[in-house]
Amino acid sequence: MRVGLIAEKIGMTQVFADSGVQIPVTVIKVNQCSVVSLKTKGKDGYDAVQLGAEECSEKHIKKPQLGSFKKLNSKLFRFLKEFRVEDSTKYNVGDVFDASYFESGQFIDVTGITKGKGFAGGMKRHGFGGLRATHGVSITHRCHGSTGNRTLPGRVFKGKRMAGHMGNERVTVLNLKIHSVDKEKGVILIHGAVPGYRSGVVYIRDAIKKKTN
């Protein structure tokens, strides 16, 4: 498994194939990602590569992170992400990766934070059908119905699908295909949608469940 990249979601657009078919794509901006530190199996128990993206000043970094950067004698980065790899000795501190790291037609996995929707009911959050609009139903049309049982066990089970906070969760979408890569602009067009809002941070890695043709 190779190291992934830290990127920024620009938004969605569409492109047209030679046959005229419309293809929805998500535009991902890949800023240069630098290797900040390495972890080895002998010293840390596992192999991993820590990447940093978007250089910034000290005022944008918390003190504990600032101390880590000074200890590593590294540049200051706004975003840090650790990726597990098979062999970290293949990488060196200071290596830089850009959009050319990925290729057109490659399958990838994208991780991001979904949009927060606030408090939502069962119909919006889980797609429940709701109750009938007549035959005795008065003010409970959008209720999700009973949540528990009788005397035994007499409680609501954990994980019961009910109303609650919706969105703002870490989600990984698997097996997305790269439509094209613009190395000069540092942009990757991904077929389909990825989680997150515009200008949000996403993490891209090689697909772990599907090989590139």
Side-chain angles (χ1 to χ4, degrees):
M1 178 64 67
R2 300 191 306 166
V3 68
L5 293 184
I6 305 171
E8 176 187 357
K9 178 180 176 180
I10 303 299
M12 290 198 69
T13 184
Q14 60 186 11
V15 295
F16 292 90
D18 297 336
S19 60
V21 177
Q22 177 187 357
I23 303 175
V25 295
T26 302
V27 183
I28 300 295
K29 174 72 173 179
V30 179
N31 298 318
Q32 288 188 345
C33 299
S34 301
V35 177
V36 176
S37 64
L38 302 174
K39 292 191 175 183
T40 59
K41 189 172 296 184
K43 181 179 179 181
D44 304 289
Y46 65 98
D47 287 317
V49 176
Q50 189 179 50
L51 293 183
E54 193 172 326
E55 294 187 32
C56 62
S57 59
E58 293 186 5
K59 65 179 182 180
H60 296 295
I61 300 178
K62 297 179 181 179
K63 287 186 178 180
Q65 292 181 340
L66 184 61
S68 299
F69 281 123
K70 290 183 178 180
K71 184 178 180 180
L72 295 171
N73 195 19
S74 169
K75 297 179 181 179
L76 304 181
F77 295 98
R78 185 179 178 186
F79 302 106
L80 285 175
K81 174 64 176 176
E82 183 177 290
F83 294 92
R84 291 285 188 102
V85 295
E86 294 179 356
D87 186 6
S88 60
T89 59
K90 297 180 180 179
Y91 305 91
N92 298 312
V93 175
D95 290 348
V96 178
F97 304 99
D98 53 16
S100 61
Y101 186 71
F102 294 102
E103 300 177 352
S104 300
Q106 180 180 349
F107 289 96
I108 59 174
D109 298 337
V110 181
T111 302
I113 304 297
T114 59
K115 294 181 180 179
K117 308 280 185 182
F119 189 93
M123 294 180 69
K124 180 177 180 180
R125 191 182 185 199
H126 301 293
F128 289 172
L131 302 183
R132 294 188 294 184
T134 181
H135 290 283
V137 179
S138 56
I139 58 174
T140 56
H141 307 290
R142 299 183 64 86
C143 291
H144 48 67
S146 176
T147 59
N149 296 305
R150 299 179 68 179
T151 304
L152 292 175
R155 63 185 176 86
V156 179
F157 289 105
K158 290 184 178 181
K160 181 69 176 178
R161 294 188 298 171
M162 301 171 63
H165 186 259
M166 182 178 178
N168 196 27
E169 298 176 336
R170 181 186 175 94
V171 174
T172 300
V173 181
L174 306 177
N175 303 331
L176 293 176
K177 189 175 183 179
I178 294 180
H179 178 270
S180 60
V181 178
D182 191 335
K183 300 179 181 179
E184 296 181 356
K185 297 182 180 180
V187 170
I188 298 176
L189 300 183
I190 301 175
H191 190 172
V194 303
Y197 50 88
R198 292 190 184 95
S199 73
V201 178
V202 295
Y203 306 111
I204 310 174
R205 69 183 184 193
D206 296 336
I208 60 175
K209 292 186 178 181
K210 193 169 186 178
K211 295 183 179 180
T212 304
N213 294 329

